[in-house]
């Protein structure tokens, strides 16, 4: 469904915006929570999209990035009594540092090695979290206090729906700005042909590191919000399945395309829920979901979202 | 002093010598060609000049500075821009975006600029777009700027690569077999472009080419290599009359000069 012109595009986006904004008035808490979960995956997918979709790096450990954000916020609130909003910059900083530590030595290598290193790093993060005292070991961090936003105590699911809705919009704007900038184009050049990108003067190692940091910071911020929404975090929330899910959402929708990534994440979060109550199928819904993924990937290896039509 | 000086360049790959003690200069503002039979080591010379290969021995200087051990992007940043033998465009990006990649060298906004879009960043974006559009016009591809590079004809892909290199405002332009796969008309156009780049923008051009018509038409100086070593150097007329060259190259491989 290629948008024919800017006006229709704007109208569609405005309608979507209004629809999303009024939805909580009509929906029950369970449905809202499903939608919240969808938006949570959208945030993670948008963050990972900068690494995987824009730059073409393979990251198999994105869960570690949002674990770092979640634990940073959790520890600062629980152990040091910080205000949630103040933990955000720290969370971003810690995520960026972690991305440097893992990215700087590995991004010089080919992408395949990065996949293995990120996978290993994610396990290190998860196992450390399970064994350290400060992270609450296996039981994690519980009863994290929920924050206030201009006097409103964010306790209801509808509050979190709006918070994440706003975050999705912010992440989309960030993604768009990156894509249509010198920085974002350099990432696209690296993805398309690393040698040619070098030949055009792109410091490929540095730009890959920037992309990696940007993706990690978005993941970390998402993790921070996740921690206060859930009020408890434990190592189980950040295992390899989680990383694989996010990667799948990005690939399913169409790597690098923002609407595609959004649709992919939504599909990923909502589809299994739709079948939860259907008898017989309900128990095997993940099996059907897996089959569906295979069908989609065979028929549309470029992802669900269509190619951009050529402007003439 | 010459713009680029290659002195005693030697390059070996696990015991096989691709280039041996090669010495030549590229004068500023000149059009110089490097010719030689297949496997003579021409592309290796190119790859050493652009940092894609590490020379085993010898030196390459550009404006008096050594290029040895510099990474390719550093060399590009100095103003040495190359094209590739087998066109290496960014296939899934538009022609315009491909050409804008050339402006990467002459612009500097980074992550913060992208996120905050402050005035300096917007100005630079406009500037980059303008450079790219001018370059597309120069090679005559303006009306195809929104097409994906992979959907272009081969000749148009070659021209896109040329526009991309031009957008980088090169001091020295290195063309690796730019005429390969082009028809006669496209070759004539290419020769015109090479002259235009030099005359209008003062770009020094160095090319590797098999097509003798083109080489003789555009070059002011020709360097001939065989088995990695230089066997002759001179004006096109001198080269055409050189017995060593005729024996080593033109004489045994006459077809190279035709289509």
């Amino acid at each position: 469904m290629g948008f024919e012109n800017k006006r229709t595009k704007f109208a569609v986006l405005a309608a979507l915006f209004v629809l999303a904004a009024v939805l909580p008035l009509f929906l029950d808490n369970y449905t809202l929570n499903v939608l919240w979960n969808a938006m949570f995956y959208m945030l993670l997918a948008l963050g990972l999209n900068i690494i995987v979709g824009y730059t073409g790096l393979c990251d198999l450990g994105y869960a570690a990035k949002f674990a770092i954000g979640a634990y940073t916020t959790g520890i600062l609130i629980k152990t040091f009594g910080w205000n949630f909003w103040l933990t955000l910059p720290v969370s971003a900083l810690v995520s960026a540092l972690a991305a440097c530590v893992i990215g700087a030595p590995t991004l010089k290598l080919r992408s395949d090695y990065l996949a293995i290193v990120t996978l290993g790093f994610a396990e290190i993060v998860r196992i450390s979290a399970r064994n350290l005292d400060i992270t609450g070991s296996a039981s994690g961090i519980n009863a994290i206090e929920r924050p206030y936003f201009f006097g409103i105590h964010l306790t209801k699911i509808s509050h979190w729906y709006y918070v994440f809705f706003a975050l999705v919009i912010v992440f989309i704007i960030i993604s768009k700005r990156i894509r249509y900038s010198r920085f974002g184009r350099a990432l696209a050049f690296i993805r398309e042909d690393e040698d040619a990108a070098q030949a055009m003067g792109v410091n490929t190692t540095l730009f890959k590191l920037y992309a990696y940091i940007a993706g990690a910071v978005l993941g970390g911020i998402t993790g921070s919000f996740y921690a206060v929404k859930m009020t408890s975090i434990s190592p189980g929330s950040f295992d390899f399945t989680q990383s694989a899910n996010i990667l799948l959402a990005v690939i399913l929708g169409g790597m690098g395309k923002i609407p595609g990534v959004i649709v992919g994440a939504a599909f990923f979060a909502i589809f299994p829920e739709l079948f939860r109550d259907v008898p017989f199928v309900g128990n095997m819904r993940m099996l059907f979901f897996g089959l569906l993924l295979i069908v989609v990937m065979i028929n549309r290896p470029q992802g669900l979202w269509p190619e951009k039509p050529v402007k003439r | 002093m010459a713009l680029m000086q290659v002195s005693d360049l030697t390059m070996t790959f696990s015991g096989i010598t691709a280039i041996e003690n090669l010495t030549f200069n590229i004068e500023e503002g000149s059009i110089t060609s490097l010719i030689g039979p297949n496997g003579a080591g021409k592309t290796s010379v190119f790859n050493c000049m652009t940092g894609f290969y590490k020379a085993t021995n010898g030196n390459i200087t550009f404006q008096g500075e050594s290029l040895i051990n510099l990474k390719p992007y550093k060399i590009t940043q100095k103003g040495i821009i190359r094209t590739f033998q087998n066109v290496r465009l960014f296939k899934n990006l538009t022609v315009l975006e491909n050409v804008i990649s050339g402006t990467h060298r002459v612009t500097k906004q980074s992550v913060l600029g992208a996120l905050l879009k402050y005035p300096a960043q917007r100005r630079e974006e406009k500037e980059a777009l303008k450079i790219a559009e001018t370059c597309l016009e120069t090679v005559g591809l303006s009306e195809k700027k929104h097409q994906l590079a992979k959907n272009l004809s081969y000749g148009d892909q070659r021209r896109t690569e040329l526009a991309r290199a031009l957008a980088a405002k090169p001091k020295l332009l290195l063309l690796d077999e730019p005429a390969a796969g082009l028809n006669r008309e496209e070759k004539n156009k290419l020769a015109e472009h090479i002259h235009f780049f030099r005359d209008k923008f003062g770009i020094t051009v160095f090319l590797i080419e098999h097509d003798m018509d083109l080489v003789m038409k555009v070059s002011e100086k020709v360097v001939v290599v065989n088995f990695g070593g230089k066997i002759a150097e001179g004006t096109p007329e001198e080269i055409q009359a050189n017995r060593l060259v005729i024996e080593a190259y033109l004489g045994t491989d006459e077809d190279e000069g035709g289509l």
Side-chain angles (χ1 to χ4, degrees):
Chain A
M1 64 179 232
F3 297 117
E4 298 198 348
N5 58 40
K6 279 207 156 152
R7 199 180 285 174
T8 26
K9 184 175 177 178
F10 181 77
V12 170
L13 287 178
L16 272 177
F17 180 86
V18 172
L19 181 72
V22 299
L23 263 183
L25 303 175
F26 308 104
L27 296 176
D28 58 76
N29 282 350
Y30 164 74
T31 318
L32 274 184
N33 207 45
V34 172
L35 290 180
W36 167 81
N37 194 41
M39 291 194 288
F40 167 61
Y41 271 105
M42 285 176 199
L43 294 179
L44 292 174
L46 284 168
L48 182 63
N49 184 46
I50 292 175
I51 300 172
V52 177
Y54 284 2
T55 326
L57 302 170
C58 189
D59 187 334
L60 293 179
Y62 198 65
K65 278 88 181 170
F66 99 91
I68 288 170
Y71 272 105
T72 305
T73 289
I75 292 167
L76 285 176
I77 292 178
K78 273 299 268 193
T79 316
F80 299 99
W82 280 40
N83 178 311
F84 165 69
W85 303 103
L86 293 178
T87 70
L88 288 178
V90 182
S91 160
L93 198 67
V94 175
S95 304
L97 280 177
C100 280
V101 168
I102 178 167
T106 46
L107 287 168
K108 286 182 202 140
L109 305 172
R110 289 210 341 269
S111 184
D112 335 18
Y113 296 102
L114 186 71
I116 296 165
V117 174
T118 50
L119 182 65
F121 179 69
E123 280 303 285
I124 292 170
V125 169
R126 190 176 64 84
I127 292 166
S128 305
R130 204 170 61 194
N131 290 290
L132 291 174
D133 282 337
I134 192 153
T135 52
S137 44
S139 57
I141 302 176
N142 298 299
I144 301 167
E145 203 199 327
R146 280 176 160 168
Y148 287 84
F149 183 68
F150 289 110
I152 306 167
H153 198 187
L154 301 174
T155 49
K156 290 195 200 142
I157 178 66
S158 59
H159 293 152
W160 288 105
Y161 176 92
Y162 285 119
V163 169
F164 275 68
F165 181 52
L167 281 175
V168 169
I169 290 173
V170 171
F171 276 36
I172 289 175
I173 292 171
I174 291 175
S175 299
K176 276 203 102 99
R177 286 194 164 187
I178 288 178
R179 173 65 187 88
Y180 297 102
S181 69
R182 177 174 178 268
F183 169 49
R185 282 191 303 267
L187 302 184
F189 304 148
I190 292 170
R191 180 193 66 210
E192 292 292 314
D193 186 332
E194 209 171 320
D195 284 342
Q198 280 242 3
M200 297 331 288
V202 178
N203 183 347
T204 50
T205 309
L206 186 70
F207 273 78
K208 281 196 278 187
L209 186 63
Y210 285 161
Y212 198 62
I213 292 172
V217 168
L218 292 184
I221 295 288
T222 307
S224 292
F225 278 94
Y226 174 83
V228 283
K229 191 273 171 187
M230 299 305 281
T231 68
S232 70
I233 47 175
S234 64
S237 326
F238 310 103
D239 60 5
F240 174 69
T241 324
Q242 196 67 269
S243 296
N245 286 351
I246 307 160
L247 185 61
L248 219 51
V250 173
I251 295 172
L252 179 70
M255 284 195 287
K257 289 168 269 181
I258 297 170
V261 169
I262 300 270
V263 169
F267 182 81
F268 200 86
I270 295 170
F271 188 86
E273 292 299 325
L274 294 179
F275 290 90
R276 191 182 282 278
D277 298 327
V278 180
F280 176 67
V281 182
N283 293 328
M284 298 197 295
R285 64 186 198 284
M286 289 318 281
L287 177 71
F288 283 99
F289 186 59
L291 283 174
L292 186 81
L293 282 179
I294 294 171
V295 171
V296 169
M297 281 298 112
I298 288 173
N299 290 307
R300 282 197 69 85
Q302 72 277 42
L304 289 172
W305 199 255
E307 287 287 334
K308 226 192 277 175
V310 176
K311 275 189 255 166
R312 288 195 188 275
Chain B
M1 191 180 55
L3 183 66
M4 182 177 260
Q5 295 180 306
V6 175
S7 36
D8 292 323
L9 185 70
T10 299
M11 173 87 218
T12 54
F13 296 99
S14 50
I16 297 161
T17 307
I19 312 167
E20 201 172 7
N21 290 325
L22 185 63
T23 300
F24 65 91
N25 289 344
I26 301 172
E27 300 300 328
E28 182 143 21
S30 70
I31 301 176
T32 308
S33 293
L34 181 67
I35 64 169
N38 283 325
K42 300 183 301 293
T43 298
S44 297
V45 174
F46 238 53
N47 283 335
C48 286
M49 288 165 112
T50 49
F52 281 87
Y53 290 170
K54 297 248 168 295
T56 317
N57 210 347
N59 200 5
I60 301 172
T61 61
F62 179 70
Q63 295 181 319
E65 289 174 73
S66 174
L67 300 180
I68 299 296
N69 289 328
L70 287 187
K71 288 195 165 167
Y73 79 88
K74 284 267 185 200
I75 293 177
T76 300
Q77 283 171 0
K78 287 186 182 297
I80 303 173
I81 316 296
R82 72 171 295 175
T83 64
F84 292 88
Q85 193 171 359
N86 40 349
V87 191
R88 307 258 306 249
L89 291 174
F90 307 113
K91 290 197 176 65
N92 295 308
L93 302 179
T94 65
V95 173
L96 185 63
E97 281 176 306
N98 268 279
V99 178
I100 289 181
S101 76
T103 67
H104 188 91
R105 178 179 100 77
V106 289
T107 48
K108 52 181 183 295
Q109 294 297 327
S110 188
V111 186
L112 274 188
L115 294 179
L116 303 177
K117 271 192 160 182
Y118 41 70
Q121 195 264 356
R122 287 163 192 263
R123 222 177 305 129
E124 205 180 80
E125 282 290 295
K126 269 193 203 137
E127 182 67 26
L129 189 68
K130 214 172 82 193
I131 295 172
E133 299 210 310
T134 315
C135 293
L136 276 171
E137 216 177 291
T138 307
V139 301
L141 270 177
S142 291
E143 70 287 6
K144 292 183 178 162
K145 65 182 177 187
H146 291 304
Q147 292 197 16
L148 294 184
K150 64 178 174 190
N151 295 335
L152 293 181
S153 71
Y154 185 75
D156 283 349
Q157 292 193 3
R158 283 257 175 225
R159 281 199 284 169
T160 307
E161 213 187 16
L162 216 52
R164 179 173 77 176
L166 186 62
K169 300 195 170 162
K171 292 176 188 152
L172 174 61
L173 178 61
L174 305 177
L175 302 172
D176 195 348
E177 297 197 23
L182 298 186
N183 63 35
R184 187 162 292 277
E185 194 188 328
E186 287 169 329
K187 280 178 192 171
N188 289 336
K189 200 86 203 148
L190 174 68
E192 268 175 45
H193 284 142
I194 292 174
H195 274 133
F196 185 75
F197 289 179
R198 200 270 307 268
D199 299 342
K200 179 86 191 295
F201 305 111
I203 298 168
T204 307
V205 183
F206 181 67
L207 61 150
I208 293 178
E209 193 44 77
H210 270 305
D211 187 278
M212 285 308 136
D213 281 351
L214 183 78
V215 169
M216 296 309 163
K217 191 150 64 179
V218 301
S219 325
E220 284 142 8
K221 187 168 96 175
V222 180
V223 177
V224 190
V225 289
N226 199 11
F227 301 113
K230 182 166 81 177
I231 57 171
E233 183 177 347
T235 63
E237 293 74 29
E238 286 166 2
I239 295 301
Q240 275 169 319
N242 187 310
R243 204 174 47 82
L244 264 178
V245 177
I246 295 167
E247 269 174 19
Y249 185 24
L250 298 174
T252 55
D253 214 351
E254 277 175 325
D255 287 349
E256 291 284 351
L259 271 177

